[in-house]
Amino acid sequence: MLTTLNTAYTDTRAADLAWALGREPLPALALLDLELTDAKLQLRLLGASHQVLLEEKRGNCSETVACIPGSSTPLPLGVAKRQGDWEYEFAARVEILSPGQFAGRAQELLALVADHPHGLAGVFPGSPHAFTAMLAQHHEGQVHWRTWHAYPQDGQLVATRTRVGVRRSRAAALVDRRRKRPAPQHHTCG
């Protein structure tokens, strides 16, 4: 779903983004409710930032990436946490792009998210390349989402990816990896 956000784009910067887990729902400019297998997910656009609320039978998770006044937790490159039966993994990177590269990447990402049934993107009035976009999926018992926060005035695009799922034992993970490996090919010479 693609929407125009009914707010002015302010000159926020990628460096102003902070990350937090467990925050209460913040006022959203746009949201998308999803049912992914056994999980309820709400994607929320908060201006130049996002919040994801996950509700599953084993528990809840709230992720916020935003300009949070008074926050002392800057946007980390990566986080891995275990809480009870849950594993949470988060990664972020900042891409620095030329104006031409930025315009192309913005068009590519907005096209990807706009018509996707699990996608939400908000464009700010006044700049077609100022946007926040989110895309979610459920895969192999885990919920994944990706986000993009565009700062065209600086040529910066912040990309995040998150995975939340049930904690698995090392033995189960090893068995899964072995199942995914292709079988060795045997050739006979003749």
Side-chain angles (χ1 to χ4, degrees):
M1 177 172 87
L2 180 61
T3 185
T4 299
L5 299 173
N6 192 18
T7 188
Y9 182 73
T10 57
D11 287 338
T12 57
R13 301 172 317 145
D16 293 337
L17 288 176
W19 167 87
L21 275 179
R23 289 187 71 102
E24 292 296 318
L26 297 171
L29 298 172
L31 57 88
L32 178 64
D33 287 310
L34 300 172
E35 299 248 354
L36 302 174
T37 310
D38 295 330
K40 289 182 182 180
L41 195 66
Q42 187 175 73
L43 305 179
R44 304 168 60 85
L45 297 179
L46 313 173
S49 50
H50 81 263
Q51 187 172 49
V52 177
L53 306 177
L54 171 64
E55 183 182 321
E56 197 191 50
K57 61 185 170 191
R58 290 178 190 88
N60 300 328
C61 178
S62 166
E63 173 189 277
T64 306
V65 171
C67 299
I68 304 169
S71 175
S72 61
T73 306
L75 188 65
L77 294 177
V79 174
K81 287 188 171 273
R82 290 184 177 171
Q83 295 177 322
D85 290 340
W86 289 90
E87 285 184 341
Y88 170 91
E89 290 181 7
F90 172 86
R93 74 178 191 286
V94 178
E95 298 176 38
I96 310 278
L97 304 167
S98 71
Q101 292 171 321
F102 197 95
R105 187 81 168 119
Q107 289 174 347
E108 174 186 292
L109 290 169
L110 290 171
L112 171 72
V113 175
D115 295 326
H116 195 287
H118 301 149
L120 175 63
V123 178
F124 293 89
S127 175
H129 304 134
F131 68 91
T132 301
M134 308 171 74
L135 189 62
Q137 71 175 357
H138 190 274
H139 181 69
E140 294 183 357
Q142 298 180 335
V143 179
H144 302 254
W145 59 86
R146 297 181 65 192
T147 73
W148 299 271
H149 304 254
Y151 300 96
Q153 74 279 6
D154 297 326
Q156 295 182 330
L157 182 69
V158 177
T160 73
R161 64 176 172 76
T162 302
R163 180 187 64 81
V164 179
V166 175
R167 192 170 168 180
R168 298 180 339 159
S169 69
R170 284 187 179 268
L174 184 59
V175 167
D176 284 350
R177 271 188 252 141
R178 286 184 179 158
R179 284 186 188 149
K180 290 181 182 178
R181 280 192 208 148
Q185 300 292 321
H186 297 286
H187 300 286
T188 56
C189 299

